[in-house]
Amino acid sequence: MSTRPITGKITTIERHILDEQSAFPDASGTLSGLLYNIALAGKLIASHTTRAGLADILGSTGQTNVQGEEVQKLDAYAQRIMFQLNDHTGRLAVMGSEEVEDPIPIPDKYPTGKYVLVFDPLDGSSNIDYNVSVGTIFGIYKRVTPSGPGTLEDLLQPGRKLVAAGYIVYGSSTMLVYSTGNGVNGFTLDPSIGEFLLSHPNIRLPDKPKYYSANQGYQSRWSEGVQRFTRWLRGEEGATHSLSLRYIGSMIADVHRTLLAGGIFYYPADTRAPNGKLRLIYEANPMSFIIEQAGGYASTGREPVLDVQPTALHQRTPLFVGNRELVEKAEEFIARYG
Ligand code: AHG
Ligand code: MN
Ligand code: MN
């Protein structure tokens, strides 16, 4: 083991959350506690994803979720962890999860609080069996109902109202990325000490985009505007440069790469999925909040994602996220050709 003294400044996630809180002298620490708890949930879920093959927890539970998809065992575990770590703290009025059909109430025996937590406990779960990155996405709102148990109304808020959002990606290392509306910071889990350490301060999308990312297997089902836009990204349709392609099929990992390398990720509407596949509340809004906080832009193809007023808990939305000029170009093609 190296005996070299540690010279760089080490910022744990706890310290970072508290530093951010100190900018708000009236803050009660409730949001900080909530964020720290989510980091803890991330560590617990990461400890399972890294041992997935060993612990015989790979594969399906044999059930389907509200989206009609197979529930993987790790989905169920991640759902339980997120719920159990947050149900009793008195910080939340209600929760909403991609894996649960209705609003998730706080059990009667516990107090309710002023925040609302929405999450996708495990995004990209179709990739679990192949050792490909998956992750947990979360968003935090202030409740809009005055007191008592939270309701559907508390969950149906536009992304613009997010107080904080972020994700934990379980990749070659585990990383937590979050924003409270004051820029984006990334933390890497040091497994030897079990702490998230600040590794990516003040993340901004690079000016020069590197990759485009979409499931081109569905290209023939896309609208003319989206097909032409894709050709433009590849240097056709009058483009003066072209981008390289990456598609993992785990939105969390595809957007994470877009955040760090620059480019665009999109999951458009298609003839079989008129609103696309991704869920507005659990996936699109938190990731869009992060991308916009890092200087990028997120659109449905016709309007900013964060301005969409949700009308149903599990509603889907087409999504285009990444460097602003690329996302605006997608809007241009869609406005012109549909
Ligand atoms: P989830 O695992 O939470 O159900 O989400 C999967 C989503 C998203 O992560 C990814 O971008 C998309 O499904 C991939 O879909 P395709 O296989 O249709 O490309
Ligand atoms: Mn998902
Ligand atoms: Mn999921």
Side-chain angles (χ1 to χ4, degrees):
M1 210 166 114
S2 163
T3 50
R4 219 157 35 90
I6 296 166
T7 47
K9 184 179 169 218
I10 294 183
T11 305
T12 63
I13 191 150
E14 184 178 21
R15 174 160 168 202
H16 191 268
I17 291 169
L18 291 172
D19 280 354
E20 287 221 318
Q21 182 191 322
S22 63
F24 303 92
D26 295 339
S28 62
T30 309
L31 179 63
S32 298
L34 187 46
L35 286 167
Y36 192 65
N37 244 6
I38 291 168
L40 178 59
K43 285 195 247 181
L44 288 165
I45 298 168
S47 78
H48 270 240
T49 57
T50 50
R51 286 180 299 143
L54 299 169
D56 190 33
I57 50 176
L58 278 176
S60 160
T61 56
Q63 295 166 329
T64 46
N65 69 6
V66 288
Q67 323 281 351
E69 296 151 352
E70 235 182 312
V71 179
Q72 303 286 314
K73 282 182 187 170
L74 272 169
D75 281 296
Y77 175 77
Q79 170 63 34
R80 218 168 47 237
I81 289 292
M82 285 296 277
F83 176 71
Q84 283 176 358
L85 282 185
N86 290 297
D87 68 343
H88 59 281
T89 60
R91 300 182 183 119
L92 296 176
V94 64
M95 293 182 240
S97 163
E98 185 195 275
E99 296 296 338
V100 180
E101 186 157 8
D102 295 316
I104 307 169
I106 300 302
D108 285 343
K109 59 183 171 191
Y110 300 128
T112 53
K114 64 179 171 184
Y115 289 105
V116 174
L117 176 64
V118 294
F119 57 90
D120 177 355
L122 209 66
D123 178 62
S125 48
S126 70
N127 275 318
I128 293 170
D129 286 352
Y130 316 116
N131 204 354
V132 172
S133 299
V134 292
T136 302
I137 306 173
F138 66 92
I140 298 169
Y141 295 92
K142 280 213 172 106
R143 69 182 302 167
V144 289
T145 52
S147 59
T151 68
L152 182 62
E153 196 190 336
D154 293 308
L155 292 162
L156 297 184
Q157 299 194 49
R160 203 64 79 190
K161 291 263 164 68
L162 280 162
V163 172
Y167 59 87
I168 305 134
V169 59
Y170 314 112
S172 45
S173 55
T174 296
M175 236 188 114
L176 186 152
V177 175
Y178 87 103
S179 173
T180 54
N182 182 29
V184 179
N185 289 281
F187 301 79
T188 302
L189 182 65
D190 181 339
S192 64
I193 57 169
E195 280 281 8
F196 280 108
L197 304 179
L198 180 62
S199 52
H200 296 62
N202 192 23
I203 301 172
R204 307 286 300 169
L205 264 91
D207 290 337
K208 197 171 172 320
K210 210 162 172 184
Y211 303 115
Y212 80 98
S213 181
N215 188 341
Q216 282 191 239
Y218 303 146
Q219 188 160 333
S220 62
R221 302 185 208 157
W222 293 343
S223 69
E224 187 185 346
V226 175
Q227 294 199 29
R228 280 184 185 252
F229 170 62
T230 305
R231 289 204 288 273
W232 179 84
L233 290 167
R234 290 156 48 174
E236 300 161 39
E237 297 284 334
T240 51
H241 65 279
S242 62
L243 295 181
S244 184
L245 168 68
R246 294 282 187 280
Y247 187 72
I248 296 170
S250 250
M251 183 242 193
I252 194 162
D254 282 313
V255 175
H256 180 63
R257 184 199 53 248
T258 304
L259 176 73
L260 297 184
I264 183 167
F265 166 83
Y266 53 108
Y267 203 112
D270 67 44
T271 48
R272 295 197 198 166
N275 291 313
K277 179 181 187 187
L278 300 172
R279 296 79 170 175
L280 175 62
I281 291 180
Y282 314 110
E283 298 174 315
N285 274 337
M287 299 309 272
S288 297
F289 182 82
I290 292 289
I291 288 283
E292 292 210 356
Q293 280 292 318
Y297 175 45
S299 171
T300 64
R302 298 191 184 274
E303 62 180 320
V305 172
L306 295 176
D307 288 338
V308 176
Q309 171 62 54
T311 52
L313 215 40
H314 294 279
Q315 108 185 39
R316 296 175 191 256
T317 180
L319 178 68
F320 299 76
V321 280
N323 284 78
R324 176 170 284 279
E325 71 275 14
L326 297 179
V327 176
E328 285 179 349
K329 199 74 186 174
E331 287 181 330
E332 247 174 77
F333 272 100
I334 290 168
R336 186 143 172 220
Y337 299 104

